[in-house]
Amino acid sequence: MFHHSSKLQYEVRVDKPNPVFAKMLQQAIGGVEGEIRVAMQYFFQAMGARGDDKYRDLLIATATEELSHIEFLGHAVALNLEGAPLSMQEEAAKDPVVNAILGGMNPRHILSSGLSAMPVNSNGVPFDMSHIYATGNIGADMLANATAEAGGRVLASRLYNMTDDGGMKDMLSFLIARDTMHQQQWLAVIEELGGLEKSLPIPNSTPEDHEATEHSYYFLNTLLDKEAPKGRWTEGPSLDGKAEFSVREKPEPQGQEPSLGKARKGSGAQKEQM
Amino acid sequence: MFHHSSKLQYEVRVDKPNPVFAKMLQQAIGGVEGEIRVAMQYFFQAMGARGDDKYRDLLIATATEELSHIEFLGHAVALNLEGAPLSMQEEAAKDPVVNAILGGMNPRHILSSGLSAMPVNSNGVPFDMSHIYATGNIGADMLANATAEAGGRVLASRLYNMTDDGGMKDMLSFLIARDTMHQQQWLAVIEELGGLEKSLPIPNSTPEDHEATEHSYYFLNTLLDKEAPKGRWTEGPSLDGKAEFSVREKPEPQGQEPSLGKARKGSGAQKEQM
Amino acid sequence: MFHHSSKLQYEVRVDKPNPVFAKMLQQAIGGVEGEIRVAMQYFFQAMGARGDDKYRDLLIATATEELSHIEFLGHAVALNLEGAPLSMQEEAAKDPVVNAILGGMNPRHILSSGLSAMPVNSNGVPFDMSHIYATGNIGADMLANATAEAGGRVLASRLYNMTDDGGMKDMLSFLIARDTMHQQQWLAVIEELGGLEKSLPIPNSTPEDHEATEHSYYFLNTLLDKEAPKGRWTEGPSLDGKAEFSVREKPEPQGQEPSLGKARKGSGAQKEQM
Amino acid sequence: MFHHSSKLQYEVRVDKPNPVFAKMLQQAIGGVEGEIRVAMQYFFQAMGARGDDKYRDLLIATATEELSHIEFLGHAVALNLEGAPLSMQEEAAKDPVVNAILGGMNPRHILSSGLSAMPVNSNGVPFDMSHIYATGNIGADMLANATAEAGGRVLASRLYNMTDDGGMKDMLSFLIARDTMHQQQWLAVIEELGGLEKSLPIPNSTPEDHEATEHSYYFLNTLLDKEAPKGRWTEGPSLDGKAEFSVREKPEPQGQEPSLGKARKGSGAQKEQM
Amino acid sequence: MFHHSSKLQYEVRVDKPNPVFAKMLQQAIGGVEGEIRVAMQYFFQAMGARGDDKYRDLLIATATEELSHIEFLGHAVALNLEGAPLSMQEEAAKDPVVNAILGGMNPRHILSSGLSAMPVNSNGVPFDMSHIYATGNIGADMLANATAEAGGRVLASRLYNMTDDGGMKDMLSFLIARDTMHQQQWLAVIEELGGLEKSLPIPNSTPEDHEATEHSYYFLNTLLDKEAPKGRWTEGPSLDGKAEFSVREKPEPQGQEPSLGKARKGSGAQKEQM
Amino acid sequence: MFHHSSKLQYEVRVDKPNPVFAKMLQQAIGGVEGEIRVAMQYFFQAMGARGDDKYRDLLIATATEELSHIEFLGHAVALNLEGAPLSMQEEAAKDPVVNAILGGMNPRHILSSGLSAMPVNSNGVPFDMSHIYATGNIGADMLANATAEAGGRVLASRLYNMTDDGGMKDMLSFLIARDTMHQQQWLAVIEELGGLEKSLPIPNSTPEDHEATEHSYYFLNTLLDKEAPKGRWTEGPSLDGKAEFSVREKPEPQGQEPSLGKARKGSGAQKEQM
């Protein structure tokens, strides 16, 4: 069960409101790299967690923190929208700065939300929940979470570079820090479960006779005019410790030419296909 | 530039067509765990690859392989739809098996595609390209790719368990094998670039003074009635080797109570808010 | 800031797991009538609340409760998926009940989530955040909230009728009860702010000279072959107390015939349009 | 059956075309507050109307009017796009006003529609029909309709404030007026059906023994550090006249700790979860 | 301006209600081949029509007819849902036919719409307006319309084959007929404007020096192991009468190897990319 | 099976990078008129092709070419983003040109992709695969393909007009040329199969007794105040050679007034509807 206390997790200060930066901040709320995504992803993973219950606790605790991130970011968006222009009066239209703000901000911050945050990204596209990755496999889920936090920290760093507002930089430096921790905590679960060697291939419970293992450890070079790019993936032991990596150059098709024959009567095709 | 040869990468055989399994196979084509996603994800990452060009080659080569996976899966869907019922004639309606097939298959396999594959998942929801993760950061992208392949192998294993068709099991065992390789090749890039210690936190180029590092290494326990779940993430050196993990129990808010004051005149609020 | 305690807001018991009912329950999580929607809607309204802060408190408190509803519904879905069939073995395929379950359940409950809840509706369509209505106008928002709770209680009542599982009926009777309260609490805000007479038309802050009031109080009967349906909306004082309702039968167009003339050179039209 | 006459319902005049305002006007066509939504919502409610047929007539008549609103708004968008820049010639690029227009307008008004209206909102996001709320319950539907019209009038008022074009202000004052009527006509249906007291809780046909009525009339205060916000919803008779409102402070969970146990064999989880 | 008369354009009769067929019929309402699509596509094309006004009249007249098709199809869906099961009572659960209906119908027809039509396709996916093709180019638009009607008639024919209900077959035979007319009327516009020879390439207003015409008339054979498929497109005069078709076998890339070099400082990449 | 060679199909040169043009170019990658759409549409049509195999070869060969178009367009976007502003430093904010760029470019080109292409359109809306039209009917599919290429050439022509960059004009003139060929090659298939007379109505395999042919050849004039627009579609032989076109003026409804009666008990309606 959830509870709420009335103050924000972190102080939000906007020294100089900027409606165009408000639009950009939306990416951190409603973008695929944003906080709604991680809050909901960890929440749904927690609800489907099987095995040791401590991982469910880890997930729900962090989901709860991410909800608090949405909350302070939402406040930051609203503060950046203070004083945004509500009209295109002729005087304003002659001022190129006002013009650029009106053109560059999200018009729905005026028209739809009344100068506050929305669950959309920086293009105004609403977040959709197909991005909640929760497979029921803890290995796949921990990688998905580390990915989400990596994307999140990349975004927060770019937003930090974008603004020169002291308050916003301070808030973003906190987000950058928490994303540092979260990246590592999910990868730490994999380490605790035996590291990559024991975890891979995910799922590690797939019986070996379900896998055509002769195809499991070569890099397939589909490039017609270049040798395979060489690296850790082309030689040496595989990361799961079960085989050696190799390369298959200029692969030939192993299958048949696909042909479906005539269309069936009554299937809605043209006569000429039948 | 792309080229095509006329045979499939892998042989597709369906011993006993099953329209309900055709619906399930769609998840491997148009699901978030599916082949359109990885083909397009690696393709867009390749187009945005900066730094050593060999990683671009690695990405585009694998994107090309994934296109071939779409192709043989598409053929498998069509073969599973051979003989699917095209009508609800009264005789059929009394046969519970025919009824169950008609109810359980994707009706659009009859109505929209004429008994062939579609770029949708097993619920009939079309794939959308918001799932193409390509950040321009090679660390974030490699994690995203390993995630996609982990999800893909989880899915292929579940499909393998679902069917008892020998041909389908054979094809899926090939997919399971290639997903094994792909999971590892992306993680091998991270290993080649110095492993987690050098790569984390992603992006590793964020200047340290952009980060409130006092918040970077503690687990925040937002659970009111439980201690923090203990594990690799609560003590010991951080995965990036820069600090020690710790725990912050029962955290208090550090910010203000958010209050936006009165609504502005002309902003479309109710009078009582002004 | 949010916090969490480890038990569910309400006891969840499933006497006889039913994967088809699990699919239906998803509507209460990820449907437009569901709990993600109300949790997020009240949360975003709270973040944009202007005027008396007590309404923000009301909103955030109820958002927090709705998060707890997601949580116990998610558990109910997982419990209904206990024992769901993981394969289409031939023996099973001959059993029409197993067949009907396999056809009637959401295949992604097996393939994608590993037998747990997802943020999707009963068709498997992911929830998308365009449904979070938060206008910054407290009147519009309270109506939106009452609407959401009305839809929610309609849904919960239909789910109650659908199941004959005692545990599920008990849980749904709790949801029905909370939706009763929530419907009324949002309408109570309107009553507290002076009721419909003072609140309408929303926004009540629009200056009267922005409105062509001669068009504000008649019902327009666009039906060619019927008189206007008579009722409270065709005569008597308007709900805002400012005028009398009337009817305009067989309305004639008041505008011009729209004509855009020739296409511009360089605009990509056909020559014949220029 | 529908019919059409060649003139617009209301005169459209644009004194000074403005492509950025054209983008904003799109919200009134393809936004969730827009005319496609209400036209289609009333249309689908009419098609599902059960009970007294006069409500079906009311719905279809107003759906028909809203189609005419789409039509004149579409014309207004096209007129605002007259003269929009079709190129980024170097001369133009130096003019900050042209630049701001090019950056601030919807590029698809040039690239995709050839200077005319599209069924998208002011962010260019296409309208999607998941927003058509039609539950088959007249109470829920009337609230949904009043909500839609409240949102519509908020939007029209904001657009009115945004423009200083006399023609556009005139057209918007008509829209504001019709939204005034439509808000009231839907709420008038509820009044005619006995008002809130008889209509609530929606659905009013849910048998009382389907509801855990001991949970139906208290406000749940999930705030840890504040008392419940006091108001019409915390004391006095409930709006349905059946009980007294009360408050439950600092609620404790009533349910169990959710735990799903081990993952099943063959379910695609990691070995460590089994 | 639109008007409505109270009867349906065509008689709807359902001899034997079938909730699974109701689900399938939804494709004709809310599918990409359905009536909402054509109604709205012709409507938006009409609003953007430039050149001879008679084409605008043609478009709006047919848009109006399509609205009437939505209306009678919506009624057909509701009639097919008469008597649909509202519960999973244990007796019912043992009856495989009831089970198959419950599994095979759209659960939202019960849960969300109360046994009436919805603006969704046969998978329950809502129609989205990105499918409204209206380019402002009459040639492109007429092809798009003929495409939509071809898809529509394919769908109607498949639905006709699917059902054995006399009333439904009668209604669908009317739809098939109207789609016959509509396919031809749009292609007739192209014929009237001079046929393919004058209309192609679309847009026919693109100045010839904007086109690298040496690349305009050869078929590019990207197949590595097969000659180009021969046909009308590989030899003989081009359809626009301007050149001869030819074939380019085994094409070589004409461009450079793409390389983006190092990532910029401050762009959020990994250090190793800089 | 697919293969790749390392150079681009066509040379890409950007003389003067322009981030706003990068945004516009996205329409040609991820728009409904763009290259992902045609690549995937031809690919899925190929996978479902029934009848003469040469059409499958034609489709897959062209799908492969379109993949190469995505590739060079993606490179063009990245090159246009070279030097895009990564911050809103105060100096910059005063420069209206920088301001206009920041407001007019897609912010996700900085925040999400790190200055490279994305699978989105010029509004930043991700491409979704519902736009892949592949019906299994070769007539419908060829029209859909010609439509897609017509839209594509309209778009490419508009982009050509928009830019004054010599490199971009050169690349677009190649795209314009290839779209010329592709429009014609799909229509040439229809010609080869007997032209419109033999192909129409699509599907030409629908038995005549499935069609109410008395409704197949008249134009329905739903306009109340105007005669039917006269043209090729109102008189003369129909395009399929089977009948004469005619007009039906002022059509009367042929169906009943739709009425659904009372709502069922237990269906979630209001009492007043029962």
Side-chain angles (χ1 to χ4, degrees), chain A residues 139-157:
Chain A
D141 285 357
M142 291 303 117
L143 283 177
N145 297 354
T147 298
E149 297 286 349
R153 197 171 178 275
V154 169
L155 173 63
S157 295

Side-chain angles (χ1 to χ4, degrees), chain B residues 1-7 46-53 56-57 85-91 93-94 96 99-100 102-108 110-115 118 120 123-126 135-140 193 198-206, chain E residues 16 18 20-21 23-25 27 31-33 96-97 100-101 103-105 121-125 151 154-155 158-164 169 220-226 250-254 257-274:
Chain B
M1 180 176 176
F2 291 88
H3 308 267
H4 189 266
S5 55
S6 56
K7 291 185 183 149
M47 290 190 288
R50 284 180 169 85
D52 191 332
D53 280 345
R56 190 195 64 224
D57 288 348
L86 297 177
S87 75
M88 306 168 114
Q89 303 305 333
E90 240 178 66
E91 321 81 88
K94 285 176 200 147
N99 246 322
L102 268 166
M105 68 181 289
N106 182 339
R108 294 191 69 205
I110 299 171
L111 299 177
S112 295
S113 78
L115 304 173
M118 302 176 74
V120 304
N123 289 137
V125 178
T135 63
N137 178 296
I138 194 171
L193 292 170
K198 276 212 174 156
S199 298
L200 295 181
I202 293 170
N204 62 7
S205 65
T206 300
Chain E
K16 202 179 129 195
N18 183 340
V20 180
F21 191 63
K23 177 179 78 174
M24 291 183 177
L25 267 182
Q27 193 68 27
V32 297
E33 314 93 335
V97 172
I101 289 172
M105 69 180 289
N121 72 7
S122 61
N123 289 137
V125 177
V154 169
L155 173 63
R158 287 169 175 164
L159 286 166
Y160 186 100
N161 292 339
M162 189 59 72
T163 185
D164 61 351
K169 278 189 183 296
L220 191 83
N221 186 24
T222 58
L223 308 179
L224 290 173
D225 59 352
K226 269 194 157 176
K250 316 281 163 277
E252 289 292 311
Q254 302 176 260
E257 187 162 337
S259 178
L260 295 176
K262 301 280 185 203
R264 284 168 64 186
K265 214 168 148 269
S267 71
Q270 290 292 86
K271 270 190 271 187
E272 291 75 11
Q273 298 175 270
M274 295 180 176

Side-chain angles (χ1 to χ4, degrees), chain B residues 72-85:
Chain B
F72 68 69
L73 281 164
H75 198 52
V77 167
L79 295 181
N80 270 292
L81 290 166
E82 290 288 327

Side-chain angles (χ1 to χ4, degrees), chain D residues 4 6 51 56 88 112 204-205, chain F residues 33 162 224 257-258 269 271:
Chain D
H4 189 267
S6 57
R56 191 196 62 224
M88 305 169 115
S112 294
N204 61 7
S205 65
Chain F
E33 314 93 334
M162 189 60 73
L224 291 174
E257 186 163 337
K271 270 190 271 185

Side-chain angles (χ1 to χ4, degrees), chain D residues 50-64:
Chain D
R50 283 180 170 86
D52 191 335
D53 281 345
K54 78 172 177 176
Y55 299 115
R56 191 196 62 224
D57 289 347
L58 179 64
L59 284 160
I60 199 79
T62 308
T64 304

Side-chain angles (χ1 to χ4, degrees), chain A residues 33 162 224 257-258 269 271, chain F residues 4 6 51 56 88 112 204-205:
Chain A
E33 314 94 334
M162 189 59 73
L224 291 173
E257 186 162 336
K271 271 190 269 185
Chain F
H4 190 266
S6 57
R56 191 196 63 225
M88 306 168 116
S112 294
N204 61 7
S205 65

Side-chain angles (χ1 to χ4, degrees), chain A residues 192-210:
Chain A
E192 185 171 291
L193 292 170
L196 290 182
E197 186 159 342
K198 276 211 174 156
S199 298
L200 294 182
I202 292 169
N204 61 7
S205 65
T206 300
E208 227 172 66
D209 64 334
H210 292 192

Side-chain angles (χ1 to χ4, degrees), chain A residues 20 27 33 104 122-123 158 161-162 164 222-225 257-261 263 268-274, chain F residues 4-6 47 50-51 53 56 86-90 106 108 110-112 114 124 136-138 199 203-205:
Chain A
V20 180
Q27 193 68 27
E33 314 94 334
S122 61
N123 289 137
R158 287 169 176 165
N161 292 339
M162 189 59 73
D164 61 351
T222 59
L223 308 179
L224 291 173
D225 59 351
E257 186 162 336
S259 178
L260 295 175
Q270 290 293 85
K271 271 190 269 185
E272 292 75 12
Q273 298 175 270
M274 296 182 175
Chain F
H4 190 266
S5 56
S6 57
M47 290 191 288
R50 283 179 169 87
D53 281 346
R56 191 196 63 225
L86 297 176
S87 75
M88 306 168 116
Q89 302 306 332
E90 243 178 62
N106 181 338
R108 295 191 68 206
I110 300 171
L111 299 177
S112 294
N137 178 296
I138 194 172
S199 297
N204 61 7
S205 65

